[in-house]
Amino acid sequence: MSVEKSTAAIGIEVLERTLSGLASFMDKTEERIHIVLEEFQEITEIEKGAQIQGVMRKHIQEMPVSFFFVNNRRRILREMFHDRSKPFFQSMFEFEPGDLPRDEGIDYVQERFRSGGREITKDPAGMIFKLTSGNPYYLQKFCHILFDSGKGNVQDEDAVFRAFRFLLESEKGYFEATLDSLTAKQRSLLTALAKDPTTSIYSSEYAQRHSLGSVGGTQQSVDALSKRELIAKENGVWKVTAPVLEAGSRENRATPDMTAHFHQAARSP
């Protein structure tokens, strides 16, 4: 047995050949085709990333097909498509789908439980949506934990909070690894925003209330946390991006005694 290259072509040459073949296929088919590239930001982290983007732009703009570049790391995609020095500058339309609609999210939770032979009433389903802020990943993981935690119908909030505690515990490694990778000032700002989202992140009053120190230090922390997509400004409000990370950050660790806090959070407007 031996392992050998299937072609002498490597790197950019393979990409050129692949895209040319795709273009040739497009010319021969009458089908309307859409191509979705997920996690596209990874291209910025590999060798010759800019050159690869240039090659892709050259071929893509000549194809009669729609390309979708999908990722939740908005900052990186925006840099790729709005920076004049980047190959993909002004080559696309930007669209943010926004949060999941609450009523549709609740209906989805109820439908999926029902399809598995169990029922969940609207109030518990609404609590699930609220505690995860409609985040698709955590919404589904939360429901998976809750569905596997019993056999009967879900009608009371206690079962929801028990499942949420389990979700927090399952994410503890992520919480701790994230928090431990931050500086003290970055951790303080993340905790402050988890407890108190704000429109005035650089105000002296906010800094004093949360012991954040100087405006310059806050600016550095904002830049660092934004680059890691841990915080973002949405509708003028600075907040922690991941709802479950936000929950864990409030106490700096996910612990079982947080249950009372989440009872209150889920019931609040």
Side-chain angles (χ1 to χ4, degrees):
M1 179 181 292
S2 65
V3 178
E4 300 176 3
K5 291 181 180 179
S6 60
T7 175
I10 59 173
I12 298 296
E13 187 179 346
V14 172
L15 179 62
E16 290 268 16
R17 184 177 299 177
T18 301
L19 292 173
S20 294
L22 179 60
S24 177
F25 170 76
M26 299 297 178
D27 290 338
K28 296 176 182 176
T29 181
E30 296 181 358
E31 298 291 335
R32 300 181 65 184
I33 296 175
H34 305 288
I35 296 177
V36 180
L37 300 176
E38 193 174 9
E39 303 296 333
F40 187 67
Q41 87 290 345
E42 298 296 333
I43 201 173
T44 64
E45 301 176 7
I46 61 177
E47 186 179 1
K48 297 183 179 180
Q51 184 180 358
I52 292 172
Q53 292 175 57
V55 170
M56 293 184 69
R57 169 78 187 257
K58 180 184 73 174
H59 286 273
I60 285 174
Q61 66 187 5
E62 296 175 354
M63 294 185 194
V65 59
S66 297
F67 281 80
F68 294 83
F69 303 93
V70 183
N71 190 258
N72 61 354
R73 298 184 66 184
R74 291 169 290 184
R75 183 189 63 81
I76 294 179
L77 284 183
R78 282 173 177 162
E79 288 179 357
M80 292 177 66
F81 292 102
H82 296 303
D83 186 335
R84 289 181 178 275
S85 66
K86 301 292 172 42
F88 277 109
F89 175 64
Q90 291 189 339
S91 64
M92 47 78 78
F93 291 98
E94 182 177 343
F95 174 73
E96 288 190 26
D99 296 333
L100 290 177
R102 181 179 183 276
D103 291 343
E104 292 181 27
I106 292 172
D107 289 343
Y108 173 77
V109 170
Q110 292 186 288
E111 187 277 325
R112 297 310 299 159
F113 268 77
R114 193 175 301 115
S115 70
R118 298 180 63 187
E119 295 286 339
I120 180 171
T121 57
K122 192 165 186 176
D123 285 346
M127 287 183 175
I128 292 171
F129 191 90
K130 184 173 180 60
L131 287 168
T132 60
S133 298
N135 179 285
Y137 169 77
Y138 287 115
L139 180 71
Q140 293 185 81
K141 187 171 184 178
F142 192 165
C143 290
H144 176 83
I145 292 170
L146 180 59
F147 189 89
D148 284 352
S149 65
K151 295 182 179 179
N153 296 334
V154 181
Q155 299 176 329
D156 63 279
E157 60 189 40
D158 288 338
V160 173
F161 289 114
R162 285 195 298 271
F164 192 66
R165 285 175 58 189
F166 191 94
L167 174 62
L168 290 178
E169 288 295 326
S170 72
E171 295 289 312
K172 182 184 287 187
Y174 168 57
F175 296 154
E176 295 184 345
T178 299
L179 293 173
D180 289 344
S181 68
L182 304 177
T183 66
K185 289 185 177 181
Q186 291 167 7
R187 193 157 49 244
S188 294
L189 180 59
L190 188 71
T191 303
L193 291 174
K195 296 177 180 178
D196 184 18
T198 182
T199 59
S200 307
I201 198 169
Y202 300 115
S203 71
S204 58
E205 187 274 333
Y206 190 78
Q208 291 174 5
R209 187 162 72 244
H210 296 286
S211 302
L212 298 179
S214 67
V215 173
T218 299
Q219 177 68 65
Q220 291 177 352
S221 296
V222 168
D223 291 344
L225 294 175
S226 296
K227 286 180 179 178
R228 294 184 60 179
E229 306 282 349
L230 295 176
I231 66 172
K233 189 176 184 180
E234 299 179 6
N235 298 320
V237 179
W238 283 97
K239 60 192 294 186
V240 177
T241 54
V244 176
L245 175 61
E246 177 185 7
S249 299
R250 286 195 184 103
E251 302 296 331
N252 270 332
R253 291 293 184 270
T255 55
D257 62 356
M258 295 168 71
T259 308
H261 169 79
F262 295 115
H263 272 265
Q264 181 179 2
R267 294 194 187 96
S268 62

